[in-house]
Amino acid sequence: MMPGLRSAIMLVWLAGFGISAAVGNCRAGDGLSSLSSDQASREAIILQHSEPAYFINNMVARLWGHVQSEMPRVKVHLVQDAVADARSYPDGAIYLTTGMIAHTRNEHQLALILAHEITHYTRRHAKVVSDSALSATHRFFHLVNEAELEADREGLSLMRRSGYCPQAGVTVMTTFPDSLERLTRATGMLDPTDEIACRNGAQSDRDYTFHVAPALLADAWSAVTKGMWRQASEDIERYLSVRPDDPQAHYLNGEIAYRWRRQTDQAISSYKKAIDLDRSFVPAHSALGFIHFKAGDLKSARRFFEISLALSPHADDNDYIRSYLQLCSE
Amino acid sequence: MQRVRTHRGTWCTRLRALIAVVLIAGLQACASVWQPVQGRIDSSRWSIEGPKGWMRLVAPDFEMLSRDGPYLQYIFVQERSVSQEFKHTGQRLEPDMLPHEMARVVIDNLKNDKRVKGFRLLKNKPVQVGGLSGFKLVYVNRDNHGADLKTIYYGAINGDTYFNLRYTAAQRHYYEAGLNAFEQVFQSLRLSCDP
């Protein structure tokens, strides 16, 4: 192939995916792939000052204490997006989606993902790969693969040094499609002495779920808007297992039951649970109104619509409620 | 020496003639993609009064009208199957959906579209669309080139199809310039259940 044509093809490929997408390749989708660090900070919905964000950055502090580098410490930004993605940038920013959190079941799995991305940053993989972007195609892909291999290997080592359990961490790879080869490779990097460290484990899976629960709820909302119903359902189930008294979660559970599973009775039960927990929770009243209206039970619909309007006279969907209420009266 | 016309020569001549016909037909097609709007525009289940002085593009899945060029402003008319998937959400429309439910699916599809940047919903309300219960959205966003756009979006379910009528224009000057024409198009809309 002519060198000029080869370079042109590479430029088109890179333009489509972004140089930063060539490394930090933990993604299972295209959530952050088209964004640079600046764009991600502007366009993405970032859950700043949230409990999971503090929890994650505490984990980063623990990992960073064992990093041998003079580079500035990374900062992790948690992005509300149901598509699983984790991406590091040369400026030290790591963007992690709630979809990626949803794939993790314990602290060790999240530690592996963070350690992997930290390694991409400290080894300057983005620069190495981008410098080779205009050279031979096979060299470019070779460097990308090498970067991923190093991030897996050194990420596991960083986990180990920081007191996390690599054996528990690698299991996160089973949650992604087409990752058998990667899991097999990573399992081969485990050390027999890891087992001892793993026995002195970190917090329980339930404790972990409690700390990241707000991220799971945010992820469920994102998943609903994308029609990723199964993920939304799993998120809510996990969330409610540690925070059963949240009316918003029961409401969302009702939405999933009604809009995806077509289980009206279960939806009504969930909406009513939300109201039992908070009698002023307007979305649940509105949802019950909509269900009864569609079912032709105009008397019940009217009751719930009037409660909604009284509780929140300026809610976003009030124009719709008033129009349906008018039909109830006719 | 007299030139002898061979069988091969005849074949080449015919091939050249065929290529010429195809090229001319192709050029003709390109020249007629945008046509001046003339009076009422009818489809199987909808019709509108086309605005004077505007151009019209007819595509298999939609129609587009524009006065100053589609990069500055356009009116978009589409009728699609209710069951047709959306590109940016796994949610689907259902024939028995209420207007707020339809609007929610459309809004979620827009919010998840990476090309629609800085999406901000200004209005979301129920309206009659061609005599059917539908919804009206007004929103602003930036496109991939950084242009600020504003859109009025009407939608309604008509039996087994979903109809939508939109007006999108650059916020600076062009939105206001074409707004009257769009409102007249909307007022002239007629929907029919019969195919």
Side-chain angles (χ1 to χ4, degrees), chain A residues 60-74 115 118-124 150 153-162:
Chain A
V60 168
R62 177 171 162 182
L63 288 163
W64 194 260
H66 299 273
V67 166
Q68 286 138 10
S69 170
E70 290 179 2
M71 295 169 73
R73 195 172 97 175
V74 297
I118 287 172
T119 304
H120 277 315
Y121 166 66
T122 56
R123 298 300 169 108
R124 303 179 197 268
E150 187 174 29
R153 187 178 56 242
E154 294 306 314
L156 279 168
S157 174
L158 176 57
M159 272 187 78
R160 193 178 286 121
R161 297 198 301 274
S162 306

Side-chain angles (χ1 to χ4, degrees), chain A residues 225-226 259 262 320 324, chain B residues 89-91 94 100-101 124:
Chain A
T225 70
K226 292 180 190 295
R259 292 163 61 183
R262 304 274 190 261
Y320 289 101
Y324 304 149
Chain B
T89 178
Q91 298 178 73
E94 301 286 340
H100 78 279
E101 294 174 307
N124 175 10

